């Protein structure tokens, strides 16, 4: 099976344009897409960072926001600089990891990214995540309850541990077999790599 694992974090800026186009691109390439939500906080902490590097290094942050404006403009995506950055994405990540194989998951992922980066809504709030679930036709109350279970919390913790074991240090990242591709600008390369090779 030709497959790409898409490792994404809901608070990650460059994951936004990647998430909004990866499903259609994978379909065009005939590549199976595996959604892998995780959190960057623990990954950054292991590198000695207590905040996003885009906040720690102001010049890098200024460049990133302008770069993201160009990328989103080219993709026809709305972009609003979130009034709080990075936002806590734990609840949304628990939903995504618990229901990673649900048919509505890709639409939910895009709804959360739109809420955060197009509508400046606080995705740490259950009301926002609930709205995103409702927008994709799901019973938000039951899904949120399940996503707060010990099992869902453990799933996310183990997902983060797996990301670290794969050498993932940022998002978005794409894993094809033993190959790691980092960054929105490596999406096409990752899909091409997968389309030319058979991975387990």
């Amino acid at each position: 099976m030709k497959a790409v694992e898409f490792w994404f974090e809901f608070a990650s800026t460059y994951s936004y344009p990647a998430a909004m186009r990866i499903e259609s691109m994978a379909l065009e390439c005939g590549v199976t897409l595996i959604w892998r939500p995780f959190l960057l906080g623990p990954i950054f902490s292991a590198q000695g960072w207590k905040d996003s590097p885009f906040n720690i290094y102001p010049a890098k942050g200024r460049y990133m926001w302008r770069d993201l404006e160009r990328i989103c403009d080219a993709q026809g995506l709305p972009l609003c600089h979130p009034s709080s950055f990075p936002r806590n994405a734990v609840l949304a990540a628990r939903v995504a990891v618990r229901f990673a194989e649900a048919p509505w998951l890709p639409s939910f992922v895009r709804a959360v990214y739109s809420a955060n980066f197009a509508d400046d809504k606080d995705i740490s709030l259950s009301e926002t995540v609930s709205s995103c679930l409702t927008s994709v036709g799901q019973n938000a109350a039951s899904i949120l309850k399940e996503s707060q279970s010990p099992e869902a919390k453990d799933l996310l913790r183990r997902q983060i541990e797996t990301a670290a074991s794969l050498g993932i240090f940022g998002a978005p990242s794409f894993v094809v077999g033993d190959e790691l591709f980092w960054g929105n600008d490596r999406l096409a390369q990752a899909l091409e790599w997968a389309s030319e090779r058979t991975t387990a």
Side-chain angles (χ1 to χ4, degrees):
M1 177 181 66
K2 296 178 292 186
V4 168
E5 295 184 11
F6 173 37
W7 290 82
F8 63 94
E9 142 83 82
F10 284 113
S12 161
T13 52
Y14 285 113
S15 291
Y16 169 46
M20 303 306 273
R21 65 189 176 125
I22 191 170
E23 188 176 34
S24 60
M25 291 178 67
L27 185 62
E28 290 177 7
C29 294
V31 172
T32 298
L33 180 59
I34 303 171
W35 300 78
R36 300 290 195 209
F38 74 115
L39 297 176
L40 278 172
I43 302 291
F44 285 167
S45 292
Q47 299 177 61
W49 295 338
K50 302 305 180 185
D51 196 355
S52 165
F54 296 126
N55 289 337
I56 295 173
Y57 306 106
K60 188 172 187 176
R62 286 191 297 271
Y63 172 82
M64 178 276 293
W65 287 114
R66 180 60 191 132
D67 188 41
L68 193 62
E69 287 175 358
R70 293 190 295 259
I71 292 169
C72 289
D73 184 62
Q75 285 187 221
L77 293 176
L79 176 65
C80 174
H81 188 149
S83 51
S84 176
F85 174 80
R87 285 195 166 115
N88 184 317
V90 172
L91 179 57
R94 284 176 179 163
V95 170
V97 76
R98 173 62 183 82
F99 296 92
E101 296 185 11
W104 49 264
L105 189 277
S107 296
F108 169 73
V109 169
R110 290 188 289 268
V112 174
Y113 275 113
S114 291
N116 193 23
F117 291 108
D119 303 325
D120 192 22
K121 293 181 179 178
D122 189 348
I123 60 172
S124 72
L125 301 178
S126 59
E127 305 93 277
T128 302
V129 178
S130 176
S131 177
C132 291
L133 286 166
T134 301
S135 74
V136 298
Q138 299 308 302
N139 184 321
S142 64
I143 289 174
L144 288 179
K145 182 178 180 180
E146 176 62 27
S147 298
Q148 295 285 43
S149 68
E151 292 79 10
K153 294 177 181 179
D154 185 58
L155 272 176
L156 181 56
R157 185 179 67 254
R158 286 190 279 119
Q159 188 94 311
I160 297 167
E161 291 172 353
T162 299
S165 72
L166 291 171
I168 290 174
F169 54 88
S173 288
F174 314 96
V175 175
V176 183
D178 294 328
E179 296 290 335
L180 173 64
F181 301 83
W182 170 57
N184 175 61
D185 57 347
R186 291 295 181 266
L187 171 54
Q189 184 183 12
L191 290 171
E192 181 181 2
W193 189 275
S195 69
E196 294 176 350
R197 291 162 175 82
T198 300
T199 60

